[in-house]
Amino acid sequence: MNVSFGQIILPAPGRRFLPLCLATLLGACQPQLPETVRSGLVYCSEGSPESFNPQLVTSGTTIDAISQQLYDRLLDIDPQSGELKPLLATQWQVNDSGTVYEFTLRPDVQFHQTEYFSPSRAFNSEDVVFTFNRIMEKNHPFHYQGGGNYPFFQSVDWANLVERVVATSDNTVRFELSRPDSSFLSNLATDFAAILSAEYGAAVLEQGLPGRIDSHPVGTGPFRFKEYQKDVLIRYYRHKTYWRELAKPEQLVFDIVPNNARRMAKLFTHECDVVAFPRVAELGLISQRPDVDVQESTSMNVGFWAFNTTKPPFDNAKVRLALAMAINREAILQAVYFGYATAANSVLPPTSWAYNAELPQLPFDQTQAKALLAEAGYANGFSMDIWAMPVQRLYNPNALKMAEMMQADLAQIGVRATIVSYEWNSFRRKLSNNEHDSVLIGWSADNADPDNFFRPLLSCSAAQTGTNRANWCDANFDRLISQALLTSDQKQRRSYYMAAQQYLAEQMPLLSIAHSQRFQALNSNISGIDINPYGGISLATAVKDVK
């Protein structure tokens, strides 16, 4: 078999892979090639995936590359309305107390047939039980595979919420909860809630290769895995027995190009059909090209500066507030986002129904910032690090530029900042180890529920799992967001979220900076791709008009 995680094994003598030949391999420049090759799609992405199992990550880079390409979930989210709709579950019921959910599953859904696995049956309730028991049960044979961390699910306290998942028949499954949770269904629709194959799990266990379940993926999604070379490419083929309309591209290649300028160059030379996160500084120039289309959409996201509150002096709310007041966010909006973002006054975007529009705007006031530092015992300032992402993300198009501007602002109040960055996967690993003083990072919504911005970013559970970059654990805040989940009444929930936002403004574990517009650049002969405001990208409907 020629597939392995982190390495492509090619038949001799063709062991070299030349990235500039991608377009040729997929027929972009050779009309004489067979249609099965010419119909391929190349997506230029900004980084390598950390895993091929969405349960194990929260990185948007990984989710974009794997989740909606390889997997389905029980529920989906309507990108226009934000409402939940059926996917692998055709319908669901909940009891009066909001603690038991019964799902009816879609029949005749086929798992991928690959070089390393041939399924003998269709998707059923056993796969749902297997998928979620892996997350919840420590004695599950795969629970500790990959480290035993399920960051999104741990951040929403999934193991304590879901008491049991029971297959009541082949096509029905029941979730029994310990308490009502108004975000439960929304969390089942996130890209993290991908359904795995129980039969494949049993097969890799029998082979003594349990790690393959996360490196050699098997799902029910529109594409099946073919090969991966770290920092070079991922290749997928069409899933020929997909239960929905078959994917338009027969091949899908993620060409991994961390350098922003090189990604754009590949778009212009048609080596890439679609480019993630075009440079906002160049959008005007890009949009003038007749061979390139630029898509724009309002997206639920927030870019922020998080303080590691487990380290002094960042454990002091006055210090955090002083640092926040010293930053000229309006200048950042212009120099980093080029006006393609709105100033953030909360982790919640203004488009959320729970947004607190009554919060006072935090002023840019370096005189007051100095006074607060003096009150906290740091009249002469101190030294600190600002960690800046090495990749461009939706919520922060240029973290290094932002860090440089903040470094200059902080110098005005006597704070000496050093900018730190690493390769993306190393950056995330070190960040999870809490090695940072502060970090410029952000979050993009996975669903329309406001809880998606609170528990994964700022709860005590999230502090334990690493998605809470402020490492902030506050019982008062946790109490507010927990109370919001115990009721399905939106007005009552909103009152708790309003109070939570007010409390965050006082405690300042992180400084919300901007809510960015989302952009995507693609060749003008590509159609059928839309920007989803709730999570990753689906490329199954992409159509290439090959002349």
Side-chain angles (χ1 to χ4, degrees), residues 513-534:
I513 296 172
H515 306 292
S516 178
Q517 294 293 101
R518 181 166 184 170
F519 296 93
Q520 188 166 266
L522 57 161
N523 285 317
S524 56
N525 66 337
I526 303 297
S527 60
I529 302 177
D530 295 316
I531 297 176
N532 188 338
Y534 305 108

mmCIF file of all heavy atoms in Angstrom, residues 513-534:
data_model
loop_
_atom_site.group_PDB
_atom_site.id
_atom_site.type_symbol
_atom_site.label_atom_id
_atom_site.label_comp_id
_atom_site.label_asym_id
_atom_site.label_seq_id
_atom_site.Cartn_x
_atom_site.Cartn_y
_atom_site.Cartn_z
ATOM 1 N N ILE A 513 -10.382 42.293 19.519
ATOM 2 C CA ILE A 513 -9.841 43.325 18.635
ATOM 3 C C ILE A 513 -10.715 43.583 17.418
ATOM 4 O O ILE A 513 -11.051 44.734 17.120
ATOM 5 C CB ILE A 513 -8.414 42.949 18.191
ATOM 6 C CG1 ILE A 513 -7.493 42.927 19.418
ATOM 7 C CG2 ILE A 513 -7.880 43.940 17.142
ATOM 8 C CD1 ILE A 513 -6.104 42.384 19.130
ATOM 9 N N ALA A 514 -11.112 42.525 16.711
ATOM 10 C CA ALA A 514 -11.829 42.746 15.457
ATOM 11 C C ALA A 514 -12.686 41.545 15.086
ATOM 12 O O ALA A 514 -12.392 40.402 15.442
ATOM 13 C CB ALA A 514 -10.844 43.037 14.330
ATOM 14 N N HIS A 515 -13.768 41.839 14.363
ATOM 15 C CA HIS A 515 -14.583 40.828 13.690
ATOM 16 C C HIS A 515 -14.366 41.050 12.196
ATOM 17 O O HIS A 515 -14.777 42.062 11.640
ATOM 18 C CB HIS A 515 -16.061 40.971 14.032
ATOM 19 C CG HIS A 515 -16.348 40.976 15.507
ATOM 20 N ND1 HIS A 515 -16.173 39.877 16.309
ATOM 21 C CD2 HIS A 515 -16.792 41.970 16.319
ATOM 22 C CE1 HIS A 515 -16.512 40.184 17.554
ATOM 23 N NE2 HIS A 515 -16.880 41.443 17.586
ATOM 24 N N SER A 516 -13.721 40.098 11.550
ATOM 25 C CA SER A 516 -13.263 40.297 10.176
ATOM 26 C C SER A 516 -14.262 39.770 9.156
ATOM 27 O O SER A 516 -14.988 38.798 9.409
ATOM 28 C CB SER A 516 -11.920 39.584 9.979
ATOM 29 O OG SER A 516 -11.474 39.709 8.658
ATOM 30 N N GLN A 517 -14.253 40.412 7.989
ATOM 31 C CA GLN A 517 -14.933 39.847 6.832
ATOM 32 C C GLN A 517 -14.135 38.644 6.345
ATOM 33 O O GLN A 517 -12.925 38.592 6.504
ATOM 34 C CB GLN A 517 -15.025 40.872 5.706
ATOM 35 C CG GLN A 517 -15.907 42.075 6.014
ATOM 36 C CD GLN A 517 -17.365 41.714 6.131
ATOM 37 O OE1 GLN A 517 -17.898 41.577 7.241
ATOM 38 N NE2 GLN A 517 -18.014 41.522 5.008
ATOM 39 N N ARG A 518 -14.833 37.681 5.751
ATOM 40 C CA ARG A 518 -14.144 36.514 5.207
ATOM 41 C C ARG A 518 -14.056 36.654 3.687
ATOM 42 O O ARG A 518 -15.035 36.981 3.025
ATOM 43 C CB ARG A 518 -14.856 35.217 5.566
ATOM 44 C CG ARG A 518 -14.146 33.975 5.021
ATOM 45 C CD ARG A 518 -14.629 32.699 5.640
ATOM 46 N NE ARG A 518 -13.846 31.558 5.155
ATOM 47 C CZ ARG A 518 -13.917 30.340 5.672
ATOM 48 N NH1 ARG A 518 -14.707 30.092 6.699
ATOM 49 N NH2 ARG A 518 -13.181 29.362 5.180
ATOM 50 N N PHE A 519 -12.858 36.361 3.162
ATOM 51 C CA PHE A 519 -12.621 36.452 1.723
ATOM 52 C C PHE A 519 -12.082 35.125 1.203
ATOM 53 O O PHE A 519 -11.436 34.369 1.926
ATOM 54 C CB PHE A 519 -11.611 37.561 1.409
ATOM 55 C CG PHE A 519 -12.096 38.933 1.766
ATOM 56 C CD1 PHE A 519 -11.802 39.492 3.011
ATOM 57 C CD2 PHE A 519 -12.856 39.668 0.877
ATOM 58 C CE1 PHE A 519 -12.246 40.753 3.352
ATOM 59 C CE2 PHE A 519 -13.304 40.936 1.206
ATOM 60 C CZ PHE A 519 -12.997 41.480 2.445
ATOM 61 N N GLN A 520 -12.354 34.900 -0.055
ATOM 62 C CA GLN A 520 -11.846 33.728 -0.731
ATOM 63 C C GLN A 520 -11.594 34.109 -2.182
ATOM 64 O O GLN A 520 -12.428 34.767 -2.802
ATOM 65 C CB GLN A 520 -12.893 32.619 -0.655
ATOM 66 C CG GLN A 520 -12.462 31.265 -1.138
ATOM 67 C CD GLN A 520 -13.465 30.210 -0.692
ATOM 68 O OE1 GLN A 520 -13.289 29.582 0.338
ATOM 69 N NE2 GLN A 520 -14.527 30.047 -1.443
ATOM 70 N N ALA A 521 -10.438 33.742 -2.715
ATOM 71 C CA ALA A 521 -10.107 34.059 -4.098
ATOM 72 C C ALA A 521 -10.091 32.775 -4.917
ATOM 73 O O ALA A 521 -9.551 31.760 -4.480
ATOM 74 C CB ALA A 521 -8.759 34.763 -4.176
ATOM 75 N N LEU A 522 -10.676 32.827 -6.109
ATOM 76 C CA LEU A 522 -10.725 31.656 -6.953
ATOM 77 C C LEU A 522 -10.638 32.048 -8.422
ATOM 78 O O LEU A 522 -10.981 33.182 -8.794
ATOM 79 C CB LEU A 522 -11.981 30.835 -6.697
ATOM 80 C CG LEU A 522 -13.361 31.484 -6.834
ATOM 81 C CD1 LEU A 522 -14.417 30.392 -6.991
ATOM 82 C CD2 LEU A 522 -13.715 32.309 -5.591
ATOM 83 N N ASN A 523 -10.168 31.137 -9.221
ATOM 84 C CA ASN A 523 -10.126 31.393 -10.652
ATOM 85 C C ASN A 523 -11.539 31.568 -11.187
ATOM 86 O O ASN A 523 -12.483 30.926 -10.703
ATOM 87 C CB ASN A 523 -9.415 30.241 -11.377
ATOM 88 C CG ASN A 523 -7.910 30.285 -11.191
ATOM 89 O OD1 ASN A 523 -7.305 31.347 -11.263
ATOM 90 N ND2 ASN A 523 -7.307 29.132 -10.922
ATOM 91 N N SER A 524 -11.683 32.402 -12.180
ATOM 92 C CA SER A 524 -13.013 32.752 -12.679
ATOM 93 C C SER A 524 -13.717 31.585 -13.363
ATOM 94 O O SER A 524 -14.919 31.654 -13.634
ATOM 95 C CB SER A 524 -12.919 33.944 -13.634
ATOM 96 O OG SER A 524 -12.023 33.658 -14.690
ATOM 97 N N ASN A 525 -12.977 30.510 -13.663
ATOM 98 C CA ASN A 525 -13.627 29.343 -14.251
ATOM 99 C C ASN A 525 -14.141 28.360 -13.198
ATOM 100 O O ASN A 525 -14.588 27.269 -13.527
ATOM 101 C CB ASN A 525 -12.664 28.619 -15.211
ATOM 102 C CG ASN A 525 -11.466 28.009 -14.492
ATOM 103 O OD1 ASN A 525 -11.100 28.442 -13.401
ATOM 104 N ND2 ASN A 525 -10.859 27.004 -15.101
ATOM 105 N N ILE A 526 -14.072 28.755 -11.917
ATOM 106 C CA ILE A 526 -14.557 27.917 -10.813
ATOM 107 C C ILE A 526 -15.885 28.479 -10.303
ATOM 108 O O ILE A 526 -16.011 29.681 -10.055
ATOM 109 C CB ILE A 526 -13.554 27.866 -9.648
ATOM 110 C CG1 ILE A 526 -12.188 27.369 -10.128
ATOM 111 C CG2 ILE A 526 -14.084 26.981 -8.524
ATOM 112 C CD1 ILE A 526 -12.190 25.954 -10.658
ATOM 113 N N SER A 527 -16.870 27.626 -10.138
ATOM 114 C CA SER A 527 -18.161 28.031 -9.576
ATOM 115 C C SER A 527 -18.630 26.971 -8.594
ATOM 116 O O SER A 527 -18.028 25.899 -8.478
ATOM 117 C CB SER A 527 -19.198 28.217 -10.691
ATOM 118 O OG SER A 527 -19.389 26.999 -11.400
ATOM 119 N N GLY A 528 -19.696 27.274 -7.884
ATOM 120 C CA GLY A 528 -20.298 26.293 -6.981
ATOM 121 C C GLY A 528 -19.724 26.261 -5.582
ATOM 122 O O GLY A 528 -20.063 25.384 -4.785
ATOM 123 N N ILE A 529 -18.847 27.224 -5.239
ATOM 124 C CA ILE A 529 -18.272 27.275 -3.888
ATOM 125 C C ILE A 529 -18.798 28.524 -3.183
ATOM 126 O O ILE A 529 -18.698 29.634 -3.708
ATOM 127 C CB ILE A 529 -16.733 27.332 -3.926
ATOM 128 C CG1 ILE A 529 -16.164 26.130 -4.677
ATOM 129 C CG2 ILE A 529 -16.163 27.369 -2.505
ATOM 130 C CD1 ILE A 529 -14.652 26.166 -4.814
ATOM 131 N N ASP A 530 -19.347 28.340 -2.007
ATOM 132 C CA ASP A 530 -19.832 29.462 -1.204
ATOM 133 C C ASP A 530 -19.085 29.492 0.125
ATOM 134 O O ASP A 530 -18.630 28.460 0.627
ATOM 135 C CB ASP A 530 -21.335 29.340 -0.942
ATOM 136 C CG ASP A 530 -22.146 29.456 -2.225
ATOM 137 O OD1 ASP A 530 -21.842 30.346 -3.036
ATOM 138 O OD2 ASP A 530 -23.075 28.639 -2.414
ATOM 139 N N ILE A 531 -18.970 30.679 0.693
ATOM 140 C CA ILE A 531 -18.368 30.834 2.013
ATOM 141 C C ILE A 531 -19.413 30.521 3.072
ATOM 142 O O ILE A 531 -20.508 31.078 3.065
ATOM 143 C CB ILE A 531 -17.823 32.257 2.215
ATOM 144 C CG1 ILE A 531 -16.705 32.542 1.197
ATOM 145 C CG2 ILE A 531 -17.299 32.435 3.633
ATOM 146 C CD1 ILE A 531 -16.172 33.952 1.270
ATOM 147 N N ASN A 532 -19.079 29.613 3.966
ATOM 148 C CA ASN A 532 -19.982 29.240 5.062
ATOM 149 C C ASN A 532 -19.610 30.037 6.306
ATOM 150 O O ASN A 532 -18.474 29.955 6.777
ATOM 151 C CB ASN A 532 -19.853 27.738 5.345
ATOM 152 C CG ASN A 532 -20.881 27.231 6.333
ATOM 153 O OD1 ASN A 532 -21.440 27.989 7.118
ATOM 154 N ND2 ASN A 532 -21.126 25.939 6.303
ATOM 155 N N PRO A 533 -20.537 30.843 6.862
ATOM 156 C CA PRO A 533 -20.197 31.629 8.049
ATOM 157 C C PRO A 533 -20.031 30.786 9.311
ATOM 158 O O PRO A 533 -19.576 31.288 10.334
ATOM 159 C CB PRO A 533 -21.381 32.580 8.188
ATOM 160 C CG PRO A 533 -22.517 31.883 7.520
ATOM 161 C CD PRO A 533 -21.909 31.096 6.394
ATOM 162 N N TYR A 534 -20.403 29.488 9.247
ATOM 163 C CA TYR A 534 -20.347 28.637 10.434
ATOM 164 C C TYR A 534 -19.399 27.464 10.223
ATOM 165 O O TYR A 534 -19.806 26.315 10.119
ATOM 166 C CB TYR A 534 -21.735 28.109 10.782
ATOM 167 C CG TYR A 534 -22.749 29.197 10.949
ATOM 168 C CD1 TYR A 534 -23.735 29.398 9.988
ATOM 169 C CD2 TYR A 534 -22.713 30.052 12.048
ATOM 170 C CE1 TYR A 534 -24.665 30.410 10.134
ATOM 171 C CE2 TYR A 534 -23.643 31.064 12.185
ATOM 172 C CZ TYR A 534 -24.612 31.240 11.228
ATOM 173 O OH TYR A 534 -25.532 32.245 11.374
#
